[in-house]
Amino acid sequence: MAHLSGKCSTVLTQRSAVAAPRLSSRVFAPRSLIARAAVVDVNDTTFSDEVLKSSVPVLVDFWAPWCGPCRMIAPIVDELAVEYGDKLKCTKINTDESPQVASEYGIRSIPTVLIFKGGKKMDTIIGAVPKATIAQTIDKYM
């Protein structure tokens, strides 16, 4: 058998070549259970109660499972939920499953993050942006 270096090692045998993935030196930890518990999943039915009637500012992450940039900012939203604690409610809404709310707020691209305070939309962030950008936007309404 021969091993070739690269992103994917190829193991050659007498009969066939079989690709064996090379393990990355980076370790990706699963999202914290605490962080996942801190972010509330909302939908067309629960949006009003969870977001518009909230006594604290609310971050709403509009996302879809097929959206790569949405998956990039998901851990950021999780971290912000833990960091802000009871001062901010962080929510996520799947635009494929809840198109009514997305349409009502004119969501045309995802990820889109909206900040609500007192039941009113205060700010919009479109695209996968750094954590600092989202935090600065949140801080304006705290």
Side-chain angles (χ1 to χ4, degrees), residues 1-4 8-21:
M1 284 196 251
H3 293 278
L4 303 175
C8 183
S9 298
T10 303
V11 179
L12 300 176
T13 63
Q14 292 177 350
R15 295 183 191 172
S16 65
V18 178

Side-chain angles (χ1 to χ4, degrees), residues 37-55:
V39 177
V40 178
D41 287 315
V42 296
N43 57 42
D44 286 340
T45 306
T46 61
F47 185 83
S48 178
D49 289 337
E50 294 289 345
V51 176
L52 302 179
K53 295 177 183 175
S54 176
S55 60

Side-chain angles (χ1 to χ4, degrees), residues 58-109:
V58 183
L59 177 151
V60 182
D61 175 16
F62 288 84
W63 72 285
W66 48 264
C67 169
C70 297
R71 290 191 306 267
M72 289 171 53
I73 71 162
I76 294 171
V77 173
D78 293 342
E79 290 171 19
L80 291 168
V82 172
E83 290 172 17
Y84 282 90
D86 294 338
K87 297 182 282 183
L88 175 75
K89 181 187 265 187
C90 289
T91 66
K92 300 177 90 103
I93 185 163
N94 182 332
T95 58
D96 289 343
E97 295 174 356
S98 299
Q100 181 180 341
V101 172
S103 178
E104 183 178 334
Y105 287 96
I107 305 303
R108 298 287 179 252
S109 66

